[in-house]
Amino acid sequence: DQQVKQNSPSLSVQEGRISILNCDYTNSMFDYFLWYKKYPAEGPTFLISISSIKDKNEDGRFTVFLNKSAKHLSLHIVPSQPGDSAVYFCAARARGAGNMLTFGGGTRLMVKP
Amino acid sequence: NAGVTQTPKFQVLKTGQSMTLQCAQDMNHEYMSWYRQDPGMGLRLIHYSVGAGITDQGEVPNGYNVSRSTTEDFPLRLLSAAPSQTSVYFCASSIGQGVQPQHFGDGTRLSIL
């Protein structure tokens, strides 16, 4: 059973609007979460992360929110740009697991001009 | 500024053949790992290494072998290829064992007939 789930395989948003990508997890031992962005024929690139001691982390247009009680995190992109069109992966690390990450299945974001 | 380099980019094998996927990084990173990406499954960890001479299994290690004789190189060997190993393989590295954003190569697309 997948411990990290991204239930929306795809999302389409108009340029300039907000994109919200969601991620749910089941393992209570997860204490660090990351978002990666992936373009076709390239490897994933790190976007933003959040520790379980926080509920929000912001970096420019990107904000990640963590709701530990719901075991849910979300990535907000405001404003969305066509260059944001990519697959976004949520990943989590369990306490004591070093740098071993568990990834979600990904969400394909399409930002329309 | 090469980062993480994977070769080859594409490969077609017949069932039962063996091959080695190469991965090299020039950032002097201690931590290296191999993932496979399958549709809807996200990235799953195959093997990882926390330094030269040290390797360990990830989530899906069966059918794969690794070694880490130098800091720079972390090859992945398929001993007897099976169609179930058709996938896109990513190598990643990071600076240490704690949670650090991992730098990914551009992947090797492997098809096994």
Side-chain angles (χ1 to χ4, degrees):
Chain A
D1 192 27
Q2 283 189 297
Q3 297 184 59
V4 178
K5 287 187 179 179
Q6 295 176 253
N7 290 317
S8 299
S10 64
L11 175 67
S12 183
V13 169
Q14 205 67 34
E15 180 179 6
R17 306 294 291 270
I18 184 171
S19 295
I20 300 176
L21 293 89
N22 294 304
C23 179
D24 296 296
Y25 62 96
T26 57
N27 189 341
S28 300
M29 294 294 287
F30 287 149
D31 67 346
Y32 202 86
F33 304 88
L34 306 92
W35 284 93
Y36 283 83
K37 175 180 178 179
K38 184 183 179 305
Y39 293 118
E42 295 183 9
T45 55
F46 170 73
L47 195 55
I48 193 168
S49 62
I50 188 166
S51 164
S52 60
I53 63 173
K54 296 186 176 180
D55 54 19
K56 177 182 173 181
N57 189 26
E58 197 170 350
D59 184 359
R61 297 186 297 113
F62 303 92
T63 303
V64 56
F65 296 91
L66 176 62
N67 182 336
K68 284 180 298 211
S69 61
K71 293 190 174 68
H72 176 84
L73 66 156
S74 60
L75 174 69
H76 291 212
I77 306 173
V78 183
S80 301
Q81 300 173 354
D84 296 329
S85 297
V87 177
Y88 290 78
F89 290 100
C90 169
R93 191 280 303 256
R95 195 173 300 112
N99 207 7
M100 291 177 61
L101 299 179
T102 301
F103 282 80
T107 296
R108 182 178 302 279
L109 173 66
M110 292 162 285
V111 180
K112 297 179 180 178
Chain B
N1 204 10
V4 179
T5 303
Q6 291 184 238
T7 55
K9 293 192 184 303
F10 303 95
Q11 185 70 48
V12 179
L13 291 178
K14 293 182 179 177
T15 298
Q17 286 185 313
S18 63
M19 102 161 271
T20 299
L21 280 62
Q22 301 291 345
C23 175
Q25 53 91 8
D26 61 358
M27 297 172 283
N28 202 30
H29 283 173
E30 293 179 5
Y31 186 93
M32 295 186 74
S33 54
W34 277 101
Y35 293 87
R36 59 179 287 173
Q37 184 195 2
D38 301 294
M41 302 287 292
L43 283 79
R44 292 181 293 169
L45 182 64
I46 305 171
H47 284 285
Y48 66 97
S49 168
V50 299
I54 306 169
T55 63
D56 208 343
Q57 295 180 351
E59 180 185 356
V60 288
N62 292 339
Y64 306 96
N65 210 347
V66 292
S67 60
R68 184 99 179 268
S69 56
T70 67
T71 300
E72 294 78 20
D73 299 297
F74 190 43
L76 177 73
R77 278 180 284 277
L78 280 71
L79 307 173
S80 177
S84 62
Q85 294 177 303
T86 293
S87 188
V88 182
Y89 291 84
F90 289 100
C91 178
S93 73
S94 63
I95 196 165
Q97 297 184 39
V99 179
Q100 301 285 343
Q102 296 188 32
H103 300 258
F104 285 82
D106 286 339
T108 294
R109 185 174 294 275
L110 183 62
S111 294
I112 298 161
L113 307 176

